[in-house]
């Protein structure tokens, strides 16, 4: 049904393709146009295997009333985005990330997601004083106690806000205080 194409005006009428198989040329590329290949299936398992055997789609549009089936498809079929019982809605919502996985694209874009996708958040730690706040327990050889102390401190230290003064002096001060508290805790037992 459909299939009217006018190259001069760049028009493609909405088109439904029947009798399509996985080997059909239309199934080898992403479709960016009003073309819908229709493939019959008997059970959900064969649908999942069929989709998993190819590249992950940029978007997966599921038309179904069965919530368990929708949830299973979302769990087992990777895709850039999922819309249930509608089309393109995730694309038009500028607050949602949009993008693919695998061959259909890497990363997400839109708003803050674009900024994060094209930004490199780099860690920068600077220590100017290597003697005042230095903790000998940081250096090998590690005793069992020192290793446990450093692992515990690294796991339980609070996040430090990205303020230059706090990063420069507060981070090591927090580490010293945490280690001192842990030392006191272990000694008291």
């Amino acid at each position: 049904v459909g299939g009217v194409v006018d190259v001069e005006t760049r028009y493609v009428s909405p088109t439904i393709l029947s009798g399509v198989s996985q080997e059909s040329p239309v199934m080898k590329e992403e479709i960016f146009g009003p073309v819908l290949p229709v493939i019959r299936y008997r059970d959900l398992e064969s649908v999942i295997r069929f989709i998993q055997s190819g590249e992950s789609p940029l978007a997966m549009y599921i038309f179904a009333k069965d919530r368990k089936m929708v949830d299973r498809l979302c769990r087992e079929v990777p895709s850039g985005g999922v819309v249930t019982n509608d089309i393109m809605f995730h694309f038009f919502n500028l607050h949602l990330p949009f993008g693919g996985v695998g061959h259909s694209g890497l990363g997400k874009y839109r708003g803050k997601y674009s900024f994060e996708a094209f930004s490199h958040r780099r860690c920068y730690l600077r220590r100017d004083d290597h003697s005042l706040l230095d903790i000998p327990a940081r250096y090998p050889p590690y005793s069992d106690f020192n290793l446990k102390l450093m692992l515990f401190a690294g796991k339980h230290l609070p996040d430090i806000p990205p303020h230059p003064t706090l990063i420069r002096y507060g981070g090591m001060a927090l580490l010293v205080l945490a280690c001192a508290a842990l030392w006191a805790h272990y000694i008291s037992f």
Side-chain angles (χ1 to χ4, degrees):
V1 178
V4 177
V5 176
D6 185 342
V7 176
E8 190 173 307
T9 60
R10 298 182 189 160
Y11 173 79
V12 177
S13 69
T15 303
I16 298 174
L17 302 174
S18 59
V20 176
S21 73
Q22 191 169 2
E23 290 74 35
S24 299
V26 72
M27 298 305 294
K28 301 292 183 187
E29 301 287 333
E30 286 185 296
I31 300 169
F32 292 99
V35 177
L36 179 65
V38 176
I39 300 172
R40 293 179 179 218
Y41 68 92
R42 294 188 188 279
D43 58 87
L44 185 60
E45 191 64 39
S46 62
V47 171
I48 292 171
R49 280 195 315 270
F50 177 79
I51 299 171
Q52 288 175 339
S53 68
E55 296 297 335
S56 298
L58 178 60
M60 181 167 55
Y61 301 105
I62 304 169
F63 291 88
K65 292 180 181 177
D66 184 345
R67 182 65 175 221
K68 288 182 180 180
M69 182 184 80
V70 171
D71 290 345
R72 182 172 176 205
L73 283 166
C74 290
R75 262 192 332 270
E76 297 184 28
V77 177
S79 66
V82 177
V83 178
T84 304
N85 298 322
D86 208 328
I87 59 166
M88 300 294 293
F89 202 47
H90 69 304
F91 178 74
F92 295 116
N93 186 333
L94 300 179
H95 299 286
L96 295 175
F98 183 82
V101 292
H103 285 267
S104 67
L106 297 173
K108 305 286 182 207
Y109 71 94
R110 291 273 170 76
K112 75 172 190 161
Y113 304 102
S114 293
F115 182 79
E116 290 172 355
F118 296 106
S119 297
H120 173 69
R121 297 180 81 184
R122 180 174 67 163
C123 173
Y124 178 76
L125 178 65
R126 176 178 167 179
R127 277 190 59 202
D128 291 329
D129 184 353
H130 291 281
S131 60
L132 181 62
L133 299 175
D134 209 1
I135 303 167
R138 291 179 47 209
Y139 303 104
Y142 299 111
S143 67
D144 286 342
F145 175 77
N146 287 351
L147 183 60
K148 287 177 185 174
L149 181 70
M150 295 309 293
L151 290 173
F152 184 86
K155 183 178 178 182
H156 295 287
L157 279 178
D159 287 337
I160 302 168
H163 186 279
T165 305
L166 281 176
I167 290 173
R168 187 175 295 160
Y169 303 110
M172 285 310 295
L174 280 174
L175 184 60
V176 168
L177 290 173
C179 288
L182 290 169
W183 188 273
H185 172 77
Y186 278 103
I187 290 177
S188 67
F189 285 100

